[in-house]
Amino acid sequence: MNKFELQQRTKKFHVEIIKLCENFPKNAAGFETAKQLIRSAGSVGANYRAACRGKSKADFIYKIEIVLEEADESLYWLEVSQEAELIKSSNTEVLIKEANELVSIFNAADITAKKTETKLISKSLNLKIRNNSYVFTKKKQNPSSITGYKKYGQ
């Protein structure tokens, strides 16, 4: 799945959540839950689009983590809605499945981005990981690149 397909998928998720929330009860619990659910589902799509336009790898990671949090929050509100029996719709199960999949996708994206970020940083700073901590190592230097270097006997 490419980024454009995932953008469409997150937008569709938001639209389906809005449609689901139209059927919530017109009471305090229904209004509050619908509001939270629509807000978090909308944030998934909007923040994913922002992540795709990230200015740097660090910016992308920061925004993907927001997307992950919002996808997980959407899942939470869907589960609460189902358990509180605010809505009796077969679409709720489908949306819970979709929210779970989005959480998995964005969690994997976050992990992958952090791994590549760590590799880039450690390579540029010449860091190695030993005993779960970073250790600076000396760069190997070609002796012939040192000014005034002469091999013994020359």
Side-chain angles (χ1 to χ4, degrees), residues 44-60:
V44 171
N47 281 301
Y48 177 64
R49 287 174 64 131
C52 291
R53 293 185 308 273
K55 298 174 189 87
S56 65
K57 191 72 149 178
D59 190 36
F60 175 80

Side-chain angles (χ1 to χ4, degrees), residues 118-119 121-129 134-137:
T118 301
K119 285 179 186 175
I121 290 170
S122 65
K123 189 173 183 180
S124 67
L125 296 176
N126 207 32
L127 292 172
K128 302 287 182 208
I129 299 175
Y134 288 101
V135 178
F136 283 100
T137 59

Side-chain angles (χ1 to χ4, degrees), residues 8-26:
Q8 288 300 313
R9 186 172 174 176
T10 57
K11 187 192 315 182
K12 183 178 185 232
F13 177 67
H14 187 205
V15 169
E16 292 301 317
I17 291 292
I18 291 169
K19 290 177 183 177
L20 177 76
C21 290
E22 286 292 320
N23 298 315
F24 273 42
K26 308 297 186 236

Side-chain angles (χ1 to χ4, degrees), residues 7-154:
Q7 285 176 353
Q8 288 300 313
R9 186 172 174 176
T10 57
K11 187 192 315 182
K12 183 178 185 232
F13 177 67
H14 187 205
V15 169
E16 292 301 317
I17 291 292
I18 291 169
K19 290 177 183 177
L20 177 76
C21 290
E22 286 292 320
N23 298 315
F24 273 42
K26 308 297 186 236
N27 59 28
F31 287 128
E32 185 61 28
T33 306
K35 182 180 95 175
Q36 293 289 346
L37 185 51
I38 291 170
R39 184 199 56 76
S40 61
S43 186
V44 171
N47 281 301
Y48 177 64
R49 287 174 64 131
C52 291
R53 293 185 308 273
K55 298 174 189 87
S56 65
K57 191 72 149 178
D59 190 36
F60 175 80
I61 291 169
Y62 173 75
K63 290 176 179 173
I64 278 297
E65 288 176 343
I66 293 170
V67 174
L68 176 57
E69 287 176 19
E70 296 295 338
D72 190 50
E73 184 178 338
S74 297
L75 176 59
Y76 169 81
W77 288 113
L78 282 165
E79 291 171 347
V80 166
S81 301
Q82 186 180 49
E83 290 174 25
E85 297 177 357
L86 293 176
I87 188 81
K88 291 170 179 48
S89 170
S90 60
N91 199 26
T92 307
E93 282 299 323
V94 173
L95 288 170
I96 287 174
K97 182 177 182 283
E98 178 66 0
N100 264 313
E101 288 178 14
L102 290 172
V103 167
S104 296
I105 289 167
F106 293 119
N107 189 48
D110 184 37
I111 290 168
T112 302
K114 284 177 179 172
K115 280 181 184 176
T116 58
E117 176 80 353
T118 301
K119 285 179 186 175
L120 291 172
I121 290 170
S122 65
K123 189 173 183 180
S124 67
L125 296 176
N126 207 32
L127 292 172
K128 302 287 182 208
I129 299 175
R130 291 192 192 129
N131 299 327
N132 294 325
S133 61
Y134 288 101
V135 178
F136 283 100
T137 59
K138 293 181 181 178
K139 286 189 177 183
K140 292 181 181 174
Q141 193 169 17
N142 182 355
S144 61
S145 68
I146 301 171
T147 309
Y149 172 81
K150 291 184 181 177
K151 280 189 174 180
Y152 181 74
Q154 285 185 342

